[in-house]
Every structure is written in C-alpha cells, then in structure tokens.
Amino acid sequence: HLAVLSRLARAFMREDFTAGLRGATTPEDVVALVQEAVADAPASSASPAAAPAGLVIALSENIDSITFDASSGLLAAVAGATVAVVDPAKPDVPPRNIDLPKPARAVAAVAANTVVAVGDNLVSRIDLPSGTRTDVALDVDALSVTGLPDGRFAVGTADGHTLVVGADGVVATDIDGLASVDALAKIG
C-alpha cells in the first residue's frame, strides 16, 4: 500500500498528471489516470550507458556477506552454506567454492590468508590459498565476526555476547550485556 501511495504522491508532483486530472471529463478518465500513475513501473532491461568502473565479477548466488583478504588478494563471499573464493586478479577463473557444514551469516578476514565464517552453531576458519576449513567448537548463534589486529577474532552472538577467540579456537574473553550483536567492526 505504501508503494502505491508513494507512486501516487510522485504523480501529483508532475504537471502532466495534474493537468490530466483537471481536464478529465468523466470518472472513468480520472480512474484511468490514477491507475496509470500507480501501476508498477516496467522493469528496465536497458544496458548501462557506460561500463562500470573497476572489475565486476558475477556470482551465481545471493551473497550474505563478503570480505577481502589483503594478504592473499582474495575475496571470500558467503552464500548460504558456501564460501566462494574469488581472485580478482583472475576474473576469468570461476570462484572456488568451499562447503560449510551449515549456512553462514557473516564472513571476515581475521589474519593473513584466513577468513572466519559464522552462523547458527557455526564458526569455521578457512585458509584461503588452500581452501582448508577448520571448524571451531563454539555452541553459539553467531551473527557477526571481525578480525582483531593480533590474529584473534571477535564473534557477536544473538544472545548479546561478544566472544574474543584466539587462533587456537579457545574463547579468551566473553563480553555480555547486550541484546544482540548484529554487527562488529574493528577500528585501527
């Protein structure tokens, strides 16, 4: 309903629409003008006028989260229970897919050549060059993750905890008191 009202409000800003309403001689004319104004806009199939700047690599899945590892120069994108590893230097090479035991919500570069993907009862470390996955035994509903400068990483949970996890997979710190930790960011 809001979308229809929004389209109608925009129509009232156009001179041709308001002039058409003023010039309508029958109720049917008014109905036709309003129906035309609130109709869904046709999908545009036109190509962009100019090529996008930079490199565009199409991935076949809807991406939930993406990160860039500066050490390897690789991108890691989470789509459900898959991490797609993309080498932007080789755009013609298809992504290498690494299967996860269950769907992930977020991924972050946490150390040189390493990303961590997190989800409901899922924390997986992935070595990007080799594609090796190591699951970390944390029984949490993880929503977010970020790497820390010393190689550890922080995991935000649905029940309001931020867990700082060492390279060995052991929780070093548990910070609680929040409702939910939907996103994490590091500064510096």
Side-chain angles (χ1 to χ4, degrees):
H1 293 49
L2 291 177
V4 170
L5 290 174
S6 175
R7 287 193 292 270
L8 186 58
R10 283 193 300 273
F12 274 107
M13 302 297 287
R14 295 190 337 256
E15 182 63 34
D16 64 321
F17 179 74
T18 55
L21 287 176
R22 282 189 214 100
T25 57
T26 67
E28 290 80 17
D29 291 343
V30 172
V31 169
L33 283 167
V34 170
Q35 285 179 333
E36 183 180 331
V38 299
D40 288 332
S44 173
S45 61
S47 301
L55 176 67
V56 176
I57 298 173
L59 298 176
S60 61
E61 301 292 326
N62 290 328
I63 304 302
D64 298 303
S65 179
I66 191 165
T67 191
F68 176 72
D69 175 55
S71 299
S72 64
L74 298 174
L75 292 168
V78 166
T82 302
V83 175
V85 180
V86 178
D87 187 346
K90 300 176 183 173
D92 296 332
V93 175
R96 181 183 49 189
N97 291 328
I98 300 166
D99 293 328
L100 299 171
K102 44 178 67 174
R105 293 186 179 113
V107 64
V110 299
N113 300 317
T114 305
V115 299
V116 169
V118 299
D120 187 9
N121 294 314
L122 170 76
V123 179
S124 294
R125 291 178 69 96
I126 299 167
D127 178 75
L128 291 175
S130 70
T132 304
R133 186 191 89 224
T134 305
D135 297 327
V136 179
L138 292 179
D139 186 22
V140 296
D141 185 4
L143 301 177
S144 56
V145 61
T146 192
L148 301 174
D150 60 3
R152 298 179 304 161
F153 59 95
V155 175
T157 69
D159 63 358
H161 291 258
T162 300
L163 307 174
V164 178
V165 181
D168 57 1
V170 175
V171 175
T173 307
D174 181 352
I175 305 164
D176 66 356
L178 301 170
S180 179
V181 185
D182 298 340
L184 289 168
K186 65 180 173 189
I187 299 173

